[in-house]
């Protein structure tokens, strides 16, 4: 995808050790504060603590660097992207409108979308630095633009909700993140990227994170006047397709769809009066025909 190269931030090549010791000092005082505050806290509070911790220790610039490394690592591992300019333009166009909304929830991130050329896999994931990856198999499995938008918006919700940072704290713990923050380990970003691709990129998110990403996602697509129930119809389609097809519904493994999740989503749509009428089925069919 040629526009990825253009979108690559120039700060990427400046090295991971550029962070000041001041940030570490701020980060560490945060840690002390959080450890004190965190004693005897609930799961939700612990999750918030981890997010705050990640935020204190890793800047958006550093996350962007890790994200670029993850992208390079995926390419090294043979991941290829859809190059058809019409498909790329179409998906990027829908994603950009979602990203514009997400920026209101979380600024400082350069959001990117990449379409992986793999028609047999139904999956999507978010990586550090605001990179959303969606497989061409997902585009083929969706029936209309609203369903595709729902998947993109859900993944964008993982970025807006800082779930990716939380995953990094879970995976690496304080010490490694502190080493990156100090700049003592210049290859840290590369190592983390390699390991994220090996195990963590498609890590299953917690149920709480899934619900949160659903809520961000359905709010975004409704704000763009898409029918918000498209998110539910896509989930149901995946559940139905799970058995007896040649598709690999990896998205279900990392984003388990349960009856509870669907009913939560329905309640959220009703409680927040989320509406929207666009499905975009016809133009979507034309794009699918190019895959
Ligand atoms: Zn998810």
């Amino acid at each position: 995808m040629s526009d990825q190269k253009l979108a690559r931030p120039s700060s990427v090549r400046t090295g991971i050790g550029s962070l000041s010791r001041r940030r570490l000092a701020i980060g560490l005082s945060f840690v002390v504060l959080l450890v004190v505050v965190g004693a005897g806290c609930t799961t939700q509070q612990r999750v918030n603590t981890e997010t705050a911790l990640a935020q204190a220790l890793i800047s958006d610039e550093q996350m962007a660097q890790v994200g670029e490394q993850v992208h390079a690592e995926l390419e090294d591992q043979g991941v290829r992207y859809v190059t058809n300019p019409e498909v790329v333009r179409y998906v990027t166009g829908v994603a950009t409108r979602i990203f514009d909304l997400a920026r209101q929830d979380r600024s400082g991130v350069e959001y990117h979308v990449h379409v992986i050329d793999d028609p047999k896999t139904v999956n999507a994931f978010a990586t550090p630095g605001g990179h959303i990856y969606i497989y061409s198999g997902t585009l083929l499995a969706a029936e209309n633009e609203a369903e595709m938008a729902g998947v993109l918006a859900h993944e964008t919700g993982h970025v807006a909700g800082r779930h990716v940072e939380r995953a990094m704290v879970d995976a690496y713990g304080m010490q490694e993140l502190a080493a990156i923050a100090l700049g003592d380990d210049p290859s840290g970003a590369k190592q983390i990227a390699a390991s994220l691709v090996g195990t963590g990129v498609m890590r299953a998110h917690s149920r709480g994170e899934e619900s949160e990403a659903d809520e961000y996602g359905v709010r975004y697509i409704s704000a763009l006047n898409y029918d918000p129930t498209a998110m539910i119809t896509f989930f149901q389609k995946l559940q139905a397709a799970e058995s007896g097809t040649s598709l690999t519904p990896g998205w279900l493994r990392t984003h388990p769809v349960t009856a509870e999740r669907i009913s939560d989503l329905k309640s959220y749509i009703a409680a927040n009066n989320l509406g929207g009428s666009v499905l975009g089925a016809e133009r979507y069919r034309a794009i699918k025909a190019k895959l």
Side-chain angles (χ1 to χ4, degrees), residues 119-134:
K120 293 271 186 223
T121 299
V122 183
N123 209 345
F125 55 90
T127 66
H131 292 263
I132 307 297
Y133 293 83
I134 186 165

Side-chain angles (χ1 to χ4, degrees), residues 164-286:
V164 181
E165 282 82 347
R166 204 177 289 162
M168 285 176 69
V169 173
D170 281 353
Y172 302 103
M174 284 286 306
Q175 220 165 6
E176 184 68 14
L177 293 180
I180 294 174
L182 251 182
D184 284 349
D185 183 1
S187 60
K190 212 175 160 140
Q191 281 171 18
I192 284 183
S195 155
L196 273 177
V197 170
T199 56
V201 162
M202 289 175 241
R203 135 197 195 276
H205 290 283
S206 71
R207 213 171 72 182
E209 288 173 345
E210 285 311 307
S211 292
E212 201 178 40
D214 284 346
E215 290 175 8
Y216 276 113
V218 83
R219 191 156 53 77
Y220 294 154
I221 64 169
S222 167
L224 296 171
N225 199 29
Y226 289 115
D227 181 346
T229 60
M231 206 140 143
I232 295 167
T233 58
F234 188 68
F235 287 170
Q236 289 167 336
K237 208 163 293 164
L238 284 189
Q239 276 183 313
E242 195 176 19
S243 56
T245 68
S246 58
L247 291 174
T248 312
W251 209 64
L252 282 181
R253 273 198 300 279
T254 53
H255 303 77
V257 176
T258 58
E260 192 189 359
R261 189 172 163 200
I262 288 176
S263 77
D264 284 354
L265 197 47
K266 282 181 181 161
S267 309
Y268 185 83
I269 290 169
N272 293 278
N273 283 316
L274 298 181
S277 57
V278 173
L279 288 176
E282 211 165 303
R283 55 182 181 255
Y284 194 72
R285 259 195 298 277

Side-chain angles (χ1 to χ4, degrees), residues 27-41 49-50 53 174:
L28 289 181
S29 33
F30 234 106
V31 173
V32 173
L33 182 70
L34 292 169
V35 167
V36 172
V37 171
C41 66
T49 303
E50 285 174 3
L53 202 56
M174 284 286 306

